[in-house]
Amino acid sequence: MRTKSNPLLGLPVGVVVAWAGVAVVNYAGVKLNLLRTVRFENSLSGGIPWVLLILAASLVVGLVLSIRPIAGGALLGAGGMLTLVGVAVYLLPLRQAFNLSKLFVIPGTNTAGYIVWDGSVVFVGAVLLALGVRRVATDARRTPQPLQDGPGYYQPGQQLPTPQYPGQQYPGQTFPGQPNPGQQGQWQHGQPPQDGPPHR
């Protein structure tokens, strides 16, 4: 059974997940930057925990954005938010742009939102936005149409009435090897039924 997609539910989920991912990556990235470019530490033990934190955050974000029912909306929400923020920091005045970047700082820490200044969020956001548009369009085409009931239509799990005598047939019901009413009409007019497309 195909699960119905719900892109509207995915929109806020994508925004929250993208904010959390950027905040975590920003915090860990600042720590790595201080170790490598400020303190010039060559020891791997100091940077491994922050690399693992970035990998864990990326894994969680990827898993959430891949949940089938909300994937399209989540990708749109995450990509749209990152793209708008990445573009806004270059269009807004410096003071307002700096205040916007501080929204991606984990509460209780003093790391500024450096990650939104290097253009990486614009790149990632545009990629997610394009994937989200394609996913929503694909889900819309795959939305199952309601089935129409008709004579002889059988749904899985439906219980058929018990025949009163052997060989009894209900209206619209056919058995394997038995021609349908349209084929019977062809027999009456002297034309044999065709199992496949007509030959040219």
Side-chain angles (χ1 to χ4, degrees):
M1 182 178 179
R2 189 182 299 275
T3 304
K4 184 178 180 181
S5 61
N6 191 352
L8 294 180
L9 178 62
L11 285 174
V13 174
V15 172
V16 173
V17 169
W19 173 87
V22 171
V24 172
V25 173
N26 174 72
Y27 179 74
V30 170
K31 296 295 184 181
L32 283 174
N33 188 39
L34 290 176
L35 289 175
R36 300 293 290 175
T37 62
V38 177
R39 300 178 183 176
F40 300 102
E41 292 188 8
N42 292 322
S43 175
L44 297 178
S45 59
I48 286 180
W50 305 116
V51 174
L52 293 178
L53 180 60
I54 294 176
L55 292 176
S58 303
L59 180 61
V60 172
V61 172
L63 290 176
V64 174
L65 295 182
S66 63
I67 298 176
R68 185 175 296 275
I70 63 173
L75 289 170
L76 286 178
M81 189 270 289
L82 293 179
T83 303
L84 289 177
V85 170
V87 173
V89 294
Y90 292 103
L91 299 180
L92 294 174
L94 287 178
R95 174 57 59 183
Q96 297 180 10
F98 182 74
N99 293 333
L100 178 63
S101 67
K102 291 194 297 184
L103 296 177
F104 295 89
V105 176
I106 296 178
T109 63
N110 57 357
T111 56
Y114 294 111
I115 192 173
V116 302
W117 292 95
D118 59 0
S120 59
V121 294
V122 178
F123 173 76
V124 176
V127 171
L128 294 179
L129 194 60
L131 292 175
V133 172
R134 180 177 178 83
R135 183 58 182 266
V136 170
T138 302
D139 291 342
R141 289 196 300 266
R142 292 181 178 177
T143 301
Q145 300 296 329
L147 300 176
Q148 300 293 334
D149 294 337
Y153 181 80
Y154 174 76
Q155 295 181 353
Q158 178 181 357
Q159 184 177 2
L160 295 176
T162 305
Q164 298 179 0
Y165 54 87
Q168 180 184 2
Q169 184 176 351
Y170 294 96
Q173 182 183 8
T174 58
F175 295 102
Q178 180 182 3
N180 55 35
Q183 291 177 332
Q184 291 179 354
Q186 293 179 356
W187 278 106
Q188 293 174 0
H189 289 82
Q191 298 179 359
Q194 297 180 359
D195 295 333
H199 297 284
R200 295 182 180 179

